[in-house]
Amino acid sequence: MNTIQVATQSRCQLVDITDKIREVVAARGMATGTVTVFVPHTTAGVTINENADPDVCHDLLEKLAHLVPHRESYYRHGEGNSDAHLKASLLGSSVRVIVKDGRLQLGTWQSIYFAEFDGPRHREVWIE
Amino acid sequence: MNTIQVATQSRCQLVDITDKIREVVAARGMATGTVTVFVPHTTAGVTINENADPDVCHDLLEKLAHLVPHRESYYRHGEGNSDAHLKASLLGSSVRVIVKDGRLQLGTWQSIYFAEFDGPRHREVWIE
Amino acid sequence: MNTIQVATQSRCQLVDITDKIREVVAARGMATGTVTVFVPHTTAGVTINENADPDVCHDLLEKLAHLVPHRESYYRHGEGNSDAHLKASLLGSSVRVIVKDGRLQLGTWQSIYFAEFDGPRHREVWIE
């Protein structure tokens, strides 16, 4: 298992971690198979989406903010970050990517994003 | 493949199955790698979220109930449980967790939850 | 890694690809383990849901269309398909299914669906 560090700057932010995952795959000498990218936090997630136009990340965060507002009358969790927990479950805690001939296999427009929903914080991502 | 049984008590309920998964990992003698936790049902899912404050589970179920109400004018599925099917797809049918030195690797606050959306029922979870 | 082709006919459509995945598993001679089904696109996803009543697929697409409308005042992405990107992240880019004795292990009512959100297009699905 490898660990990478992610320092986020905002409460909600998508951070492209594709290059860091590529470095781990190369350093481990993985040949063929799949790699799991796992987020060990409950107020952050991970997703794969477009890397070319940053407006896609903006739109994703905005839509999530509308679907899961920071405050709702029925939230009970006392820490005030229920929305972050809920967004984490909607996106999921891991993605799985194919490795072939030592290279991460992603579509042309795909990047892997760490999804911060309760930052800024220092976070970890685990890779196996 | 190992199977664990989950008996749910409500229509919508999150059941912490982390200890059961740990037992399977130990019994199988898994050393290092990843374990897949798969739900073979279409009206239930699985997610990873906070284990310390049960209010997080309450808030997750309430938010899903608001996003995907039990009834909508445009639902066509005759069994009256469209909401359960839709929530299952939003959370997903499997999670993947890293195993290292024979131990499940989860963040401090993470547990694995079976997500019942059309209970109470007897359910299965498959592990590989 | 194997590739299957999927030709979609509508902007939003769920295409049952279970039989194609079964063929790949058989052709590869997989015995026991898990198979990853990965979508290398950013405006399409993959999900597992009910195969018996097509109304479940209808209801899933309708609910997603209500949660993530084609147009929102705050979308910035210039291609006009922000909704497709967001739905892709909500469903996810991969599913993982257990293989036992050479056979895909799915629940009685489960099928694997390619989820098109910006078609019609020719799409690929990668399997490892």
Side-chain angles (χ1 to χ4, degrees):
Chain A
M1 187 178 94
N2 298 69
T3 300
I4 62 176
Q5 310 293 327
V6 181
T8 59
Q9 272 81 42
S10 311
R11 179 154 198 272
C12 296
Q13 184 185 3
L14 295 175
V15 182
D16 190 335
I17 56 172
T18 315
D19 286 345
K20 289 185 175 181
I21 309 295
R22 283 205 179 95
E23 286 169 22
V24 168
V25 167
R28 290 175 68 126
M30 287 184 176
T32 293
T34 55
V35 63
T36 297
V37 178
F38 182 87
V39 170
H41 308 287
T42 56
T43 54
V46 59
T47 193
I48 293 175
N49 218 309
E50 157 146 354
N51 55 24
D53 179 3
D55 284 344
V56 172
C57 292
H58 166 273
D59 293 354
L60 178 54
L61 292 176
E62 276 294 299
K63 172 48 75 181
L64 286 173
H66 280 78
L67 292 176
V68 189
H70 195 169
R71 311 288 177 196
E72 292 277 22
S73 58
Y74 52 81
Y75 288 163
R76 288 190 191 160
H77 183 48
E79 297 180 19
N81 61 356
S82 284
D83 61 325
H85 288 284
L86 311 190
K87 291 171 180 177
S89 273
L90 286 180
L91 282 205
S93 58
S94 71
V95 294
R96 190 145 184 96
V97 181
I98 298 172
V99 176
K100 185 180 168 189
D101 300 331
R103 294 171 63 95
L104 211 57
Q105 302 295 301
L106 288 168
T108 311
W109 310 107
Q110 287 183 315
S111 273
I112 305 169
Y113 288 95
F114 178 86
E116 174 66 81
F117 296 126
D118 195 30
R121 297 204 201 191
H122 282 86
R123 302 287 205 172
E124 289 191 353
V125 177
W126 297 346
I127 299 144
E128 176 67 54
Chain B
M1 187 178 95
N2 298 69
T3 300
I4 62 175
Q5 310 292 327
V6 181
T8 58
Q9 273 82 41
S10 311
R11 180 153 198 272
C12 295
Q13 184 185 4
L14 295 176
V15 181
D16 189 336
I17 55 173
T18 314
D19 285 345
K20 289 185 176 183
I21 308 295
R22 283 205 178 94
E23 286 170 21
V24 168
V25 167
R28 289 176 68 126
M30 288 183 174
T32 293
T34 54
V35 62
T36 297
V37 178
F38 183 87
V39 170
H41 308 287
T42 56
T43 53
V46 59
T47 192
I48 292 175
N49 218 309
E50 158 147 353
N51 54 23
D53 178 2
D55 283 345
V56 172
C57 291
H58 166 273
D59 293 354
L60 178 54
L61 292 177
E62 276 294 300
K63 173 48 76 180
L64 286 173
H66 280 79
L67 292 177
V68 188
H70 195 168
R71 311 288 177 195
E72 292 277 22
S73 58
Y74 51 81
Y75 289 163
R76 289 189 190 160
H77 183 48
E79 297 180 19
N81 61 356
S82 285
D83 61 325
H85 288 284
L86 311 189
K87 292 172 179 176
S89 273
L90 285 179
L91 283 205
S93 57
S94 71
V95 294
R96 191 146 183 94
V97 181
I98 297 172
V99 176
K100 185 181 167 189
D101 301 331
R103 295 170 62 93
L104 211 57
Q105 302 296 300
L106 287 168
T108 311
W109 309 108
Q110 286 183 316
S111 273
I112 305 169
Y113 288 95
F114 178 85
E116 174 66 80
F117 295 125
D118 196 29
R121 296 205 201 191
H122 281 87
R123 301 289 205 171
E124 289 191 352
V125 176
W126 298 347
I127 298 144
E128 176 67 55
Chain C
M1 187 178 94
N2 297 70
T3 300
I4 62 175
Q5 310 292 327
V6 182
T8 58
Q9 272 82 41
S10 311
R11 181 155 197 271
C12 295
Q13 184 185 4
L14 295 176
V15 182
D16 190 335
I17 56 172
T18 314
D19 285 345
K20 289 184 176 183
I21 308 296
R22 284 205 178 94
E23 285 169 23
V24 168
V25 167
R28 289 175 68 126
M30 286 183 176
T32 293
T34 54
V35 62
T36 297
V37 178
F38 182 86
V39 170
H41 308 287
T42 56
T43 53
V46 60
T47 193
I48 292 175
N49 218 309
E50 157 147 353
N51 54 23
D53 178 3
D55 284 345
V56 172
C57 291
H58 166 274
D59 292 354
L60 178 54
L61 292 176
E62 277 293 301
K63 172 49 75 181
L64 285 172
H66 280 78
L67 292 176
V68 189
H70 195 168
R71 311 288 177 196
E72 293 277 23
S73 58
Y74 52 80
Y75 288 164
R76 288 189 190 160
H77 183 48
E79 296 180 20
N81 61 356
S82 285
D83 61 326
H85 288 284
L86 311 189
K87 291 172 180 176
S89 273
L90 286 180
L91 283 205
S93 58
S94 71
V95 294
R96 190 146 185 96
V97 181
I98 298 172
V99 176
K100 185 181 168 189
D101 300 331
R103 294 170 63 94
L104 211 57
Q105 302 295 302
L106 287 168
T108 312
W109 309 107
Q110 286 183 315
S111 274
I112 304 168
Y113 288 95
F114 178 86
E116 174 67 82
F117 295 125
D118 196 29
R121 296 204 200 192
H122 281 86
R123 301 287 206 173
E124 288 191 354
V125 176
W126 298 346
I127 298 145
E128 177 66 53

